[in-house]
Each structure stands twice: as C-alpha cells, then as structure tokens.
Amino acid sequence: MTTGLILIAVFFLLVALNVPIGFAIGLATLAALGSIMPLDPATTTLAQRMVAGLDSFTLLAIPFFILSGYLMGAGGVASRLINAAKGLIGALPGGLAVVNIISSMLFGSVSGSAVAATSAIGSFMVPAMKKEGYDAPFAASVTTSASILGLLIPPSNVMIVYAVAAGGVSIGALFLAGYGPGIVAGIALIIAAMLVARKEGYPVSERLSLRESVRTIIPAIPSIAMLAIVVGGIVSGLFTATEASAFAVVYSLFLGIYLHREMKWKDLAGVIIKSAETTGIVLFLIAASTGMAWMLAYSGMPGAIAEGLLTISENPLLLLLLINVILLIIGAFLDITPAILIFTPILLPVAAALGISPVHFGMILILNLSIGLCTPPVGTVLFVGAAVGQTKVAAMIKPMIPLYLAMLAALALTTAIPQLSEGLPRLFGMME
C-alpha cells in the first residue's frame, strides 16, 4: 500500500506541475518501483512492462483506425456528412446546432477521434453558425459536446483499449453495445440544443424539398457505409477488429483519392506523418499506463479500493452513483486512454461484484470519461473546441451547462438500464 501511495502522490504532483501526462505516469511508476528496488533494475522492469503492454495483436487496430480517420478528414468526408445532416434536419428549431450534433456524431464515429471530429466539423459548422446569428461560445460548445459521442459509436479506439484492459472482452460486443448509449446521448444533446435555440431565438434554416434533401444525402452514403462494413464484418466473424481497421484504411484512401477526389497521392505523406504522431502519443500513453496499472496491482491497492467500496453500502444503485462520481472527477483531470487502463482493473471487480457485465460497465466507464474530455481543467476536446471557435474556454462554460446536463441524463439512463448497452450484443449472440 505504501508503494501505491507513493505512485499516486508522485503522479498528482507531476500533473499539478504540468508535466505531460504520459511522462507523469511513467515517472510516477518509476518512483514507486524505486522505493522497493535500486534504480537500474527499476528502470529495466518498467521498460519491460511498457513493451509487454504494447505486445498485443488487438492494439494493432489503433494505428490503422487513426490513419483511416485522418484519411477521412483529408478526403472530404466532413463536408458531405454536414450537407447530408442539413438535408435531413436543417429546418428544425436550432437547425444548424442539430446539424452540428449529427455531423459531429457521424464524423466522430468514422474517424474514431473526438479531437478530429471537433477540428473537422467545427471548422465548417462554427463559422456557419456564427454567420446565421449563433453566439460563438454556444456554437463551439455544441461541437465540443457532440464530438465525444463518436467514442461510443464504433469503430472506437477507446473500446479497443478497454477490451485489452478488461482482459479480453469481445470487441464486437463492445462495438454493438455503444450504439444504445451513443444514440441516447445524441438525442439528449439535440433536445438541449433545441431548447436553448428556442429560448435564445436563434434562426431556423430554410426547409429543403424532398429532391434536394435526397441530393445532399447520397454523397454521404459511401462514408456512412464504412461503419456498416466494419462493424458488420466484426460481428459476423468475417474479420477481426485489426483486419477491419486495415480495411478502413484502404476504404478511406479509395474515398478520398478516387471517389471524392479531394485528396491527391502527394498529400498521403503528410497524412501518414500526422497519423504517426498521433499514434506515437496514444501508444506511449498505453505503454506508460500499462506499467502504472501493473504497479498498482502489485501494490494491492486495487483490491483494497474494491473492498472498501463494497463495504460502503449493499445498495447497487448507490455504489454505481459513487463510481460515476469518481469517474467524472477522474475524467476531468486525466485523459481517457490512461484513465481506462489504470482504473478498469480497479473498478471492474466492483462492478462484477454488483452483477454488472463487463460490456455494460465498459459503456458506463467510456461515457463518463468522454464527458471528462469536455470538462475543465484538463478537457482536451474543450480546449480544441475553443480554439476552433475562436473563443475562450471561460466563455463556453455557461452555454455548456445545459449540454452537460443532457450528457449526465444520458449517463444516468445508461447506468440504470443495462439493456441500452446489452440489447444489441445479446441480439447478435455476442453475449450470453
């Protein structure tokens, strides 16, 4: 326990000193190891654990999905998804805000990245909303909150990370499980945005004819089809998640260069470099977090925390409420990938003791930590949204409040109704 306390104390000290999160995790783990062995073997042990953490065929899907997301962004997918959303629901109250939410959800799901969705959709939608009379902080807030939903709607990199951290949960089951919570959260955000738009008197877009609506939807069909092919292939057993991710790269390349023709072969090098940079960051976080998770397990702290939580109350709903509060706080200070790797081994045994399946708990965990991405003080997506919207984070807090409430309502429903997560996996035989 002393080793675990050293680990936690050093980690939060380094975070408070603004040390990059990956280095903070690695240095904290090294400090904890150094308290029980000399520095040289401690360094070697940490390096071995980090390498072992990346020695997984499943994790190979992450760089492929990251690359396919960048290819989608460069290949004109965002503008087509936005036009399709406009054709469907642009004439609703707060139409452009609703278009923003739908577009961010769709692009977030095909790209697998909330940051990419915020950047790509925000660069189109925030200027359009401002031009129509929407306040910049509200426009940026809508983009920020909606982009995280792509982490719940597959293919999702963080679901792959959770599958590894949870000890081999079916990725196909997790992909199917994300649709219920993701759609519920999207509907909650749409309702909140429409209520705000009506209250503030934001303009309504002109209604398109049926022919014009169809004309805007057709170009987006090939992009949306990738979701059906990737998820359908995994669920049917046609290919693994890693093979599906490789297919997504080829498909995205075909869309950008040959179908949409908005990307040239000469652009490919720049896209690969950007995706390699992102992949390096994500995989370093995974490696460092794996080392920290092993060190925590060695210290015995996860078991002690689990036992402590189970002694607080025998009421499952009260314990789930406590877990949600803990995860919301964690998400506000820690990026989603290391948070999943570190806290899954701690909290999953508690969930199992309460009779919660790993699939259902995974959705609770991911939705909680996704909300943290747009929550200060360390909300990565929140800062990206402010930059894209050319506004300040402080100005976004007030318009974010109804959107936070909508996401918390979706979290409450996801927690209380296991069928939202488990319905589709059971229907397709991915869960018993």
Side-chain angles (χ1 to χ4, degrees), residues 297-385:
Y298 176 84
S299 72
M301 183 172 282
I305 293 174
E307 290 178 8
L309 287 173
L310 290 171
T311 58
I312 292 175
S313 172
E314 296 181 357
N315 187 325
L317 287 178
L318 181 60
L319 284 174
L320 280 174
L321 176 62
L322 179 59
I323 289 173
N324 277 323
V325 171
I326 292 171
L327 288 173
L328 286 170
I329 295 171
I330 291 168
F333 290 93
L334 196 60
D335 192 66
I336 188 168
T337 298
I340 289 173
L341 287 163
I342 293 167
F343 289 95
T344 295
I346 295 174
L347 297 175
L348 185 56
V350 180
L354 298 175
I356 299 170
S357 71
V359 170
H360 181 207
F361 177 72
M363 296 306 105
I364 296 172
L365 177 78
I366 291 170
L367 181 51
N368 263 294
L369 298 176
S370 296
I371 293 172
L373 290 174
C374 52
T375 306
V378 190
T380 309
V381 179
L382 182 68
F383 288 98
V384 174

Side-chain angles (χ1 to χ4, degrees), residues 281-293:
I281 294 169
V282 171
L283 292 183
F284 179 73
L285 283 171
I286 291 173
S289 301
T290 302
M292 177 181 267

Side-chain angles (χ1 to χ4, degrees), residues 173-188:
L174 290 172
F175 276 9
L176 287 175
Y179 282 111
I183 291 172
V184 167
I187 292 172

Side-chain angles (χ1 to χ4, degrees), residues 38-127:
L39 184 59
D40 284 348
T43 305
T44 302
T45 301
L46 176 59
Q48 290 172 340
R49 290 294 168 179
M50 291 176 69
V51 172
L54 295 178
D55 186 15
S56 169
F57 179 75
T58 303
L59 288 178
L60 190 59
I62 291 178
F64 281 126
F65 276 131
I66 289 173
L67 178 56
S68 71
Y70 275 102
L71 289 170
M72 284 274 190
V77 171
S79 59
R80 285 164 175 79
L81 292 176
I82 289 170
N83 289 335
K86 281 183 180 178
L88 285 171
I89 37 80
L92 292 174
L96 280 186
V98 178
V99 168
N100 194 336
I101 292 169
I102 299 293
S103 303
S104 296
M105 286 176 63
L106 291 173
F107 189 82
S109 61
V110 298
S111 69
S113 169
V115 171
T118 305
S119 302
I121 301 300
S123 62
F124 285 93
M125 287 305 305
V126 173

Side-chain angles (χ1 to χ4, degrees), residues 160-203:
I160 297 170
V161 173
Y162 172 76
V164 173
V169 179
S170 166
I171 294 175
L174 290 172
F175 276 9
L176 287 175
Y179 282 111
I183 291 172
V184 167
I187 292 172
L189 284 176
I190 287 171
I191 293 172
M194 290 174 67
L195 291 174
V196 171
R198 180 170 292 180
K199 178 184 176 183
E200 300 294 333
Y202 290 134

